[in-house]
Amino acid sequence: MRKTVVAATVLLAASVPGPAFASPATPECAVLAGLRIPASVISLPTSGGLVTASVVSGESCRVDADLYPVDPAAPAIKLRVALPRAWNHKALMFGGGGYNGTIPDVAANVPFGPADRPTPLARGYATFASDSGHQQNPARPPSLDGSFGVNDEALINFAAGDALKKTRDASLFLIRRAYAATPTEVFFAGGSTGGREALVVAQRWPSAFDGVISAYPAWNNLAEILDLGYLTQVLSRPGAFPGPAKQTLLYDSVIKACDGSDGVVDRVVSNLGCRFDPRVLRCPGGADTGPACLSDAQIGAVTAMSSPFRWPYRIASGETRYPGFPFLSGADMRTPFLGFGTTAPSDPMPVTSGYGMQYWDQWVKYFLTRDPGQNALDIDPRHPGKWLARISALSKVEDRNNADLRPFARAGGKLILLHGAADELVSPYSTSDYYERVRSVVGPHATDGFLRYYVVPGANHANFGTPAFAASWDSLTALERWVATGRAPVNQVVTDLAHQRTRPLCAYPGWPRYRSGDPDSAASFSCAR
């Protein structure tokens, strides 16, 4: 525990706006409405902020505020703070997803959170989040609007994470005003883009958060974007796109080949060491002869998705590759939107193409070329030509995580890292790469003192759709205990909400191997390496 309570009083002070709750029926929450947020309380440059709304919502006070940019042409950062009536003197910030653009639900759970425990807000946490400094165009699919990237300040707020610290500082200012007290502990939880944001705050502001939960993090954002651009081009080639029926064929074939490698047949592949060769599905002669096989062009496409992507040039971040996806994840037809999509990429980019292909399209239009009319299929990430310098410059912003978490560890911070083995959108191999980098920089023993990394078999990206394993684990309680007592998580169990079964949560590189007994019980498995 690195902070102490400044004051626990909830009495109205003459110089400080009163606490949000003298009682749940009184309107003191409205006292925060119209409160100005001084620029001086925010460590990064802003023009200050203003509370735009403050209303009682159930057992909490919901406060909305705008943080104003330095550049008048940039959008404001819109944030929300939920102040519970029964405060536990702790605070938690939620990360976003995709290109952000909306405020995450501050009453929600942490990624892969437990279904049988209250959410952080219901536990008494003051929770907060922001849209990261731009507002989603409602005409675009959620989290797939990159148009803000034409403004430098908005781009830096999102891609470099500046909005995270600005939101944190302003939210703690409001929490102190509401309760006349400083939180004893502040946590961060996020998945995907939010998982990347979790690693950003740990690395850039090592004393800002006591504990961090980072799930399926898109930490090397630009590296993955280059891979997604390459896959977009591959899948757009004539005859290369495997339609829904062929994606189902591929998924079922992978499960059949690899399911039993962990000792039990349950349609969950725990051992990612299993290898699958898509050429066993080749159509006679390599031509597309129907849904029961893959053509040579389709085999090439699925192989590209599961293979590392390397680019033949240097970029400022030093990144040289993206590791590709496990066959299991790229072919999971339970959530085609996050994988291949249901239609091939083209120009204009269909909303039925894969999420990653649409993400690439927006990035090319608004981050790279800043030309909304640019055909993303015309940009080859292997040979970007005149765009190489811009790619390199963006890499310093989007891939600035350098894996040096020694300051975070010295400050007493604790980090829980999670990824689903069947993630279709962010490769679990990439998170494993990040973990190995941290161990290399920090040292194995020191890393074990502040970081735990778990790969959850069968879990996909954010429990989207109908995953093979709908992961549920009380990571927040494990993190609380670790921060407060120094006791690291041990013998943790993850629940599959879709099938009412449990598995041991094995610290990487461990994975659950079946021994004997009830295959739906974690007690029947041990962690193999």
Side-chain angles (χ1 to χ4, degrees):
M1 188 179 301
R2 295 183 288 166
K3 299 183 180 71
T4 57
V5 178
V6 174
T9 179
V10 291
L11 297 176
L12 185 63
S15 60
V16 179
F21 297 102
S23 76
T26 56
E28 278 80 358
C29 180
V31 172
L32 294 176
L35 178 67
R36 294 200 172 276
I37 303 172
S40 60
V41 304
I42 302 169
S43 65
L44 298 177
T46 71
S47 298
L50 180 70
V51 172
T52 58
S54 183
V55 297
V56 173
S57 178
E59 289 295 297
S60 66
C61 172
R62 192 187 74 191
V63 182
D64 292 340
D66 287 351
L67 298 183
Y68 301 125
V70 175
D71 175 8
I77 299 171
K78 293 186 176 295
L79 66 86
R80 178 167 295 154
V81 184
L83 304 165
R85 179 170 181 261
W87 187 39
N88 66 4
H89 295 282
K90 300 177 184 179
L92 182 141
M93 179 175 178
F94 286 104
Y99 280 117
N100 291 340
T102 58
I103 301 173
D105 182 0
V106 292
N109 216 329
V110 300
F112 287 161
D116 60 347
R117 290 294 309 277
T119 66
L121 179 60
R123 295 189 195 193
Y125 276 86
T127 58
F128 58 96
S130 78
D131 62 7
S132 82
H134 58 274
Q135 292 74 56
Q136 160 90 28
N137 180 349
R140 288 287 306 159
S143 75
L144 277 172
D145 176 17
S147 60
F148 65 93
V150 298
N151 180 275
D152 285 341
E153 186 172 347
L155 189 152
I156 294 295
N157 272 333
F158 165 79
D162 283 16
L164 302 170
K165 187 59 162 59
K166 296 173 184 179
T167 298
R168 183 259 186 200
D169 292 348
S171 297
L172 290 193
F173 169 78
L174 295 174
I175 291 170
R176 288 192 297 268
R177 285 298 182 104
Y179 296 111
T182 296
T184 58
E185 293 159 359
V186 184
F187 298 97
F188 188 104
S192 196
T193 287
R196 173 178 65 83
E197 292 169 342
L199 299 180
V200 166
V201 299
Q203 192 252 317
R204 289 192 64 192
W205 304 287
S207 298
F209 293 90
D210 299 274
V212 168
I213 298 169
S214 173
Y216 34 94
W219 68 271
N220 47 351
N221 189 229
L222 184 131
E224 181 176 5
I225 287 169
L226 294 178
D227 185 31
L228 292 173
Y230 171 63
L231 296 177
T232 300
Q233 290 201 330
V234 169
L235 292 170
S236 70
R237 295 170 184 167
F241 182 78
K246 293 188 183 244
Q247 293 175 43
T248 299
L249 169 70
L250 178 61
Y251 177 73
D252 288 342
S253 299
V254 172
I255 290 293
K256 182 178 180 180
C258 294
D259 188 9
S261 63
D262 54 11
V264 63
V265 176
D266 57 359
R267 294 191 70 80
V268 171
V269 177
S270 298
N271 179 12
L272 287 185
C274 179
R275 295 291 179 257
F276 177 79
D277 186 350
R279 290 177 295 183
V280 301
L281 300 176
R282 185 175 186 260
C283 296
D288 190 347
T289 58
C293 59
L294 298 178
S295 69
D296 284 344
Q298 291 158 351
I299 290 172
V302 300
T303 300
M305 181 168 278
S306 63
S307 301
F309 174 64
R310 296 176 175 85
W311 44 91
Y313 49 84
R314 295 177 62 87
I315 57 177
S317 68
E319 295 299 318
T320 60
R321 66 190 287 272
Y322 191 76
F325 294 81
F327 266 114
L328 179 65
S329 60
D332 193 344
M333 270 306 296
R334 291 177 174 83
T335 55
F337 176 58
L338 297 183
F340 288 103
T342 55
T343 56
S346 60
D347 183 58
M349 192 65 66
V351 295
T352 47
S353 61
Y355 187 102
M357 291 78 217
Q358 295 183 62
Y359 198 97
W360 162 258
D361 180 69
Q362 291 288 293
W363 184 82
V364 166
K365 285 175 164 57
Y366 300 109
F367 280 51
L368 182 63
T369 69
R370 290 181 162 172
D371 176 5
Q374 174 67 50
N375 181 351
L377 298 178
D378 288 342
I379 305 293
D380 186 346
R382 297 167 301 174
H383 308 288
K386 67 178 182 179
W387 300 113
L388 174 56
R390 176 66 176 166
I391 288 174
S392 184
L394 286 169
S395 78
K396 290 191 295 184
V397 177
E398 297 185 66
D399 286 352
R400 67 185 301 164
N401 280 302
N402 62 16
D404 186 359
L405 297 180
R406 286 175 294 185
F408 180 70
R410 285 194 296 266
K414 307 300 181 187
L415 169 61
I416 289 176
L417 193 57
L418 290 162
H419 212 124
D423 195 309
E424 320 88 323
L425 186 58
V426 177
S427 173
Y429 296 152
S430 177
T431 302
S432 298
D433 178 42
Y434 178 83
Y435 173 74
E436 294 295 350
R437 292 189 192 195
V438 173
R439 285 175 60 87
S440 176
V441 173
V442 180
H445 179 72
T447 298
D448 289 345
F450 78 97
L451 192 161
R452 285 294 181 275
Y453 171 39
Y454 305 99
V455 177
V456 185
N460 72 345
H461 195 80
N463 281 340
F464 190 85
T466 54
F469 193 97
S472 171
W473 173 52
D474 191 2
S475 56
L476 182 56
T477 292
L479 184 63
E480 286 176 331
R481 184 179 299 116
W482 198 2
V483 168
T485 69
R487 295 199 303 269
V490 294
N491 301 324
Q492 300 294 300
V493 172
V494 61
T495 299
D496 175 10
L497 296 176
H499 304 93
Q500 301 306 309
R501 56 187 171 183
T502 58
R503 292 286 185 272
L505 200 55
C506 300
Y508 180 85
W511 49 273
R513 185 200 297 273
Y514 178 72
R515 296 179 303 173
S516 63
D518 181 1
D520 289 337
S521 171
S524 302
F525 293 76
S526 60
C527 290
R529 292 173 70 99

